[in-house]
Amino acid sequence: MDILERFKKVITIYDEILQQPHRTEIARELREEEDLFTLLCFSELLGLPNPAFYYTLELYPFVIERFHDWHLRMGMEKSPLNGIRCC
Amino acid sequence: MNSVWLAIVGFIVFALGYRYYSKFIAEKIYHLDPDYVTPAHKYNDGVDFVPTKKVVLWGHHFSSVAGASPILGPAIALYWGWGPAFLWVILGTVFAAGVHDFGTLVLSVRNKGQSIGTLTDRLIGKRAKMLFLFIILILVLMVNAVFAWVISNLFIQFPAAVLPIFIEIPIAIWIGYAVYKRKAKMLVPSLIALAVMYGTAVLTSKVPFLQIDLVRYFGGADNTVIFGLDGISMSFFVWIVILLVYCYFASTLPVWKLLQPRDYINSHQLVVGLLMLYAGLLVLRPELTAPMTNEVSDVSWFPLLFITIACGAISGFHGLVASGTTSKQLDKETDARFVGYLGSVGEGVLALISIIAVATLFANAGDFRAAYSDFGAASLGGMSNFINGAAQLATGIAIPANIARTIVTVIVVSFAATSLDTSLRLMRYIISEIGSEYNFKPLTNMHVATSVAVVSSAALVLIPKGPNGFGSGGYLLWPLFGTSNQLLAGVSLLLISVWLKKQGRNFFYTFVPMVFIFSMTLYAMFVQVVFQWSGLGETDANMLLFILGGIIFVFAFWIILEAFRVFFKTDKSPPIDPSM
């Protein structure tokens, strides 16, 4: 490995070190937005009237996988909603 | 003696400690297993639990724990001469801090990445956890109050540093926005930000007009401005109010908007600062002018040295970081040695340059003794002495002294501001946690909890008459800082020992530093509470310190009793999780 490549590698690691906490925070913000969106989609199942029901219903097939990630993250090994048997 | 020898000896001891002692601890005591599935893999959620390369994680851990404290503690501890401070920094790092930081990381990894607070709850009990929370609360309150004064003091002493510091805020917001909304890269913009800040520092050092000197604006130090406040007191008042208002916003905004990009810029400053000072040291090779030992009559080095130098040798705050975020990102368990042990070595390197900077600052031992005339003068002047000493070292790489002083002040204020808003944020979390624990709902609201934190810090800073004049009320409680922080380290070492004992392993290597830290801390607290603050000794009574110190002393003793009860309980049941 020549000096230039070594230098590039050092700079990449240095950049990664500094990016690390920033990446975490942005991922957390995005996850919170995602959770809110999931809540809006499934609000009917929780008894909250949803004016956009017809549209969110169409989104169900797309959010099922995210829903699975969400309930796992919340510490529930199996889906808490009877209507959705994702696992 | 030439100061380069201190750096060489320090580096050799650190290297040997890492090469041999940490290897022994990793293999024979903590039994690190390369095949153990770490929480980062087990609970990988792409946010908190993410397997991370060890070099990256080390850098992240080091930049989280490095702040103003490893600079301030050794700069004050030079009061007893450079010898004791140097010995404690190198030996404390190798035998106490390394084992502590490394151990809390391993303990947390073996317990689902849980933090020290949660582990105290689980391993010792709920009562111990609440006592622990109250101690941390007092700790962060002191940090808020004292750092608000320290930063204001630096702004008043070095007005050229004000503009570069303030410029950092809009640039950080811009970087945060660009990265979050536009997915831009961070390295180049943050390097430009650094260049802008240091460019401004050069300008403000040369052009007095650009120096925001409030004392001058208020008509000088002796001019009475309003309500009987003179120019200096009024400047303190204005800076402290500005800082606390800034902290309110900084701690309630989403972190990616301001704090993260600002910390990102500050991490560059850490690298720049360390390179600048060690390079300057190698070029200049200055003689140590401070005495190796300094005979004093007011405050004995034993046991106060061990609580004056917290970060830099062992510090409880490191355990909070290691078990809070670092443990959730550890890729392989064997990486814990590199990340945890070498993280504390990084702090040791920072403390070492602080000792060298101050020990080479003075023309001769007489000048040193004049500046460090008593412990109060040492505490008050510690930070300024470091800045002047560091600026002197930086002249070695051809930076003019006045510009170097401004740049070093910018670096130090950036670190201190990070500590200030992190501790305010931490205080908000603790107030919320206490609120939810005692079922008092209003305290769990973010703005209520932040307001309580800001108002109580402001009250402590401004209302009592502190030893350093108006605005230094926090210093009334500062003597309690070292002890509270070291208690935290002691409790963490105790938790590690309890865990090792449960596993049937040799706990001697964590038990000995734990006994040492606890005895030094309790001894120091006892001496201060009974002989200094109660009025029984030669000094006048200080009821505030006596009552608060007494409460912390009782709490500490209580936690230790609870912990020892757990430690010596014969536990015949198998561990909760056999894999732990």
Side-chain angles (χ1 to χ4, degrees), chain B residues 173-472:
Chain B
I173 293 174
W174 170 68
I175 292 178
Y177 176 80
V179 172
Y180 184 57
K181 295 284 180 197
R182 294 164 185 251
K183 312 268 181 275
K185 289 270 178 200
M186 282 178 98
L187 186 62
V188 176
S190 57
L191 287 177
I192 294 172
L194 211 62
V196 170
M197 282 172 68
Y198 292 163
T200 318
V202 173
L203 254 170
T204 53
S205 305
K206 287 184 178 292
V207 186
F209 172 72
L210 292 173
Q211 299 175 1
I212 301 179
D213 187 354
L214 289 191
V215 180
R216 185 159 50 91
Y217 297 162
F218 288 130
D222 301 324
N223 185 35
T224 305
V225 186
I226 194 171
F227 303 130
L229 293 175
D230 60 25
I232 291 184
S233 302
M234 194 61 202
S235 308
F236 267 110
F237 179 75
V238 172
W239 281 133
I240 286 167
V241 170
I242 290 175
L243 282 169
L244 289 175
V245 169
Y246 159 76
C247 280
Y248 184 92
F249 286 108
S251 85
T252 49
L253 277 175
V255 277
W256 61 266
K257 274 193 181 156
L258 171 62
L259 292 190
Q260 284 294 338
R262 204 209 48 194
D263 287 354
Y264 191 93
I265 300 171
N266 287 348
S267 302
H268 291 302
Q269 301 211 60
L270 180 65
V271 178
V272 169
L274 276 174
L275 286 179
M276 185 172 80
L277 297 186
Y278 275 104
L281 173 72
L282 284 180
V283 175
L284 279 183
R285 296 189 297 278
E287 289 293 317
L288 292 163
T289 48
M292 188 173 168
T293 54
N294 187 26
E295 287 290 323
V296 294
S297 55
D298 57 344
V299 184
S300 161
W301 71 275
F302 188 86
L304 271 176
L305 173 77
F306 306 101
I307 55 168
T308 305
I309 301 179
C311 299
I314 186 166
S315 156
F317 179 68
H318 294 190
L320 296 180
V321 176
S323 67
T325 52
T326 312
S327 64
K328 297 179 176 68
Q329 298 171 20
L330 201 71
D331 183 22
K332 280 192 289 187
E333 197 180 52
T334 39
D335 292 349
R337 178 183 161 214
F338 184 87
V339 176
Y341 199 92
L342 220 52
S344 62
V345 167
E347 285 280 89
V349 168
L350 197 56
L352 196 58
I353 198 68
S354 172
I355 292 173
I356 293 172
V358 182
T360 54
L361 167 68
F362 302 97
N364 51 49
D367 279 5
F368 169 84
R369 289 199 177 92
Y372 281 76
S373 55
D374 57 51
F375 192 65
S379 309
L380 179 63
M383 196 54 104
S384 314
N385 289 334
F386 168 76
I387 289 174
N388 289 322
Q392 194 166 289
L393 284 182
T395 55
I397 48 171
I399 304 176
N402 63 335
I403 293 173
R405 203 172 296 120
T406 310
I407 291 178
V408 174
T409 311
V410 169
I411 294 175
V412 170
V413 171
S414 302
F415 287 175
T418 315
S419 308
L420 179 65
D421 53 43
T422 307
S423 89
L424 202 91
R425 214 178 173 82
L426 205 59
M427 192 170 174
R428 182 186 108 202
Y429 294 149
I430 296 167
I431 290 172
S432 296
E433 196 164 339
I434 290 174
S436 65
E437 201 68 51
Y438 287 108
N439 221 358
F440 188 66
K441 283 275 179 285
L443 280 187
T444 54
N445 178 291
M446 179 173 81
H447 291 283
V448 175
T450 311
S451 305
V452 172
V454 168
V455 171
S456 55
S457 306
L460 180 60
V461 177
L462 298 173
I463 297 173
K465 191 177 174 337
N468 305 329
F470 180 78
S472 66

Side-chain angles (χ1 to χ4, degrees), chain B residues 4-23:
Chain B
V4 176
W5 286 111
L6 280 197
I8 292 172
V9 172
F11 275 86
I12 290 174
V13 174
F14 290 150
L16 291 176
Y18 176 67
R19 175 71 183 81
Y20 296 105
Y21 191 62
S22 75
K23 190 167 187 277

Side-chain angles (χ1 to χ4, degrees), chain B residues 29-227:
Chain B
I29 309 297
Y30 294 152
H31 292 197
L32 298 190
D33 175 7
D35 298 323
Y36 180 76
V37 183
T38 57
H41 287 283
K42 208 170 179 181
Y43 309 110
N44 189 345
D45 62 357
V47 179
D48 297 310
F49 294 90
V50 184
T52 307
K53 272 190 275 185
K54 66 177 181 183
V55 182
V56 173
L57 192 57
W58 172 81
H60 171 39
H61 178 76
F62 175 47
S63 59
S64 304
V65 292
S69 294
I71 294 170
L72 186 60
I76 296 173
L78 237 80
Y79 178 55
W80 297 290
W82 59 261
F86 173 69
L87 280 178
W88 175 234
V89 163
I90 57 169
L91 298 178
T93 298
V94 169
F95 294 107
V99 181
H100 167 271
D101 297 12
F102 178 14
T104 42
L105 186 54
V106 176
L107 179 67
S108 175
V109 165
R110 287 274 165 167
N111 286 279
K112 303 175 182 171
Q114 287 169 332
S115 69
I116 283 297
T118 317
L119 289 172
T120 311
D121 189 1
R122 265 193 45 207
L123 292 173
I124 307 180
K126 201 178 186 70
R127 228 177 9 237
K129 185 197 167 190
M130 290 313 289
L131 295 172
F132 200 61
L133 277 184
F134 276 110
I135 290 183
I136 302 179
L137 188 68
I138 295 176
L139 191 76
V140 288
L141 180 67
M142 280 183 276
V143 172
N144 293 343
V146 168
F147 277 55
W149 185 85
V150 166
I151 297 173
S152 307
N153 187 36
L154 290 176
F155 278 166
I156 291 169
Q157 276 196 47
F158 306 100
V162 178
L163 204 57
I165 290 286
F166 275 74
I167 276 184
E168 191 181 3
I169 297 171
I171 299 178
I173 293 174
W174 170 68
I175 292 178
Y177 176 80
V179 172
Y180 184 57
K181 295 284 180 197
R182 294 164 185 251
K183 312 268 181 275
K185 289 270 178 200
M186 282 178 98
L187 186 62
V188 176
S190 57
L191 287 177
I192 294 172
L194 211 62
V196 170
M197 282 172 68
Y198 292 163
T200 318
V202 173
L203 254 170
T204 53
S205 305
K206 287 184 178 292
V207 186
F209 172 72
L210 292 173
Q211 299 175 1
I212 301 179
D213 187 354
L214 289 191
V215 180
R216 185 159 50 91
Y217 297 162
F218 288 130
D222 301 324
N223 185 35
T224 305
V225 186
I226 194 171
F227 303 130

